[in-house]
Each structure stands twice: as C-alpha cells, then as structure tokens.
Amino acid sequence: MNIPAELKYTKDHEWIKIDGDVATVGITDFAQSELGDIVYVDVDTFDETIDKDEVFGSVEAVKTVSDLFMPLSGEVVEFNEDLEDSPENVNTDPYGDGWMIKIKISDTSQVDSLLDADTYKAVIGA
C-alpha cells in the first residue's frame, strides 16, 4: 500500500498536500482500491467556501458512490478537470494525476489535526 510520508491524511481516506495556504486533496491508494474502478468524480463546490468535514463532492465507482469530505475549511479554488474525461486517473495515480481539488485554507491551525503517514497506516491496519 502506497502511503507517501510527506502527505497528511484524514480518517475519511483523503490525502492532503500543503503548499503555503493552499492544500491539494485527493483520495488515498487504500480508498481507491476499496472503491474499485472509478467511473465519475463529481465536484460541484468550485468557488465555494466549505467547512471542515462537510461534503465537497462524490466519487462514483462501479460498485458504489462515496461522498468526499473537506479535510480543512476553505474555498475550493481549483478542480482537476482532467478527471471529467479520465476518472480512472484516481485509480492509476491517486497521489499524482488523480488529485481532485485545491483549497485556499481559511484556518491553518486545522492542519495540526490531520494524520501523519504512520497514524494513517494504523487507521487502515497497514
């Protein structure tokens, strides 16, 4: 299971890459493997400010649909439009081409509540 040490994680299986006050968000390798083949990524919150733990979109796989939760409060400033034509990027490259949104973080103190790689490994039993 690929769990990069330089990223942060949530118990809801999102990964977060922090760059100043912007966070890039996607779902983890574990999450994509549990979901199976992803056929659609729906993010209709572009340009909206959303609180931590609220739903910002959903991901549809062959066997299920799963909500996507904001790991941090902030404004959704970018959506990975490549996922509209190639949702399978979430399966093939979850930490690269499969990123989903970028957030302008409104409360950087929330970063401290995110999980590090070792803690996330413990959550999923890896």
Side-chain angles (χ1 to χ4, degrees):
M1 190 65 52
N2 183 14
I3 304 171
E6 70 275 15
L7 301 177
K8 298 290 190 180
Y9 301 90
T10 69
K11 286 184 273 187
D12 295 316
H13 310 292
E14 279 98 14
W15 60 262
I16 303 94
K17 179 180 178 185
I18 307 291
D19 185 12
D21 64 350
V22 175
T24 303
V25 179
I27 64 171
T28 64
D29 192 23
F30 174 80
Q32 69 80 21
S33 69
E34 290 291 305
L35 288 167
D37 292 339
I38 292 172
V39 295
Y40 189 69
V41 178
D42 181 33
V43 174
D44 57 3
T45 52
F46 178 69
D47 263 354
E48 293 182 26
T49 298
I50 304 173
D51 289 333
K52 181 178 187 259
D53 297 327
E54 288 188 359
V55 174
F56 72 85
S58 63
V59 61
E60 182 177 342
V62 171
K63 56 185 177 182
T64 190
V65 176
S66 182
D67 286 334
L68 299 165
F69 298 96
M70 287 288 278
L72 301 164
S73 298
E75 180 183 358
V76 178
V77 294
E78 191 172 343
F79 168 64
N80 183 357
E81 294 181 0
D82 291 342
L83 296 180
E84 292 179 353
D85 294 328
S86 303
E88 68 275 10
N89 286 349
V90 177
N91 292 115
T92 59
D93 191 11
Y95 302 110
D97 291 341
W99 68 273
M100 294 181 173
I101 60 169
K102 292 188 179 183
I103 306 167
K104 184 169 178 43
I105 303 168
S106 61
D107 181 359
T108 54
S109 71
Q110 293 176 347
V111 172
D112 294 338
S113 68
L114 298 173
L115 308 177
D116 63 22
D118 288 339
T119 305
Y120 182 68
K121 284 178 187 175
V123 167
I124 64 172

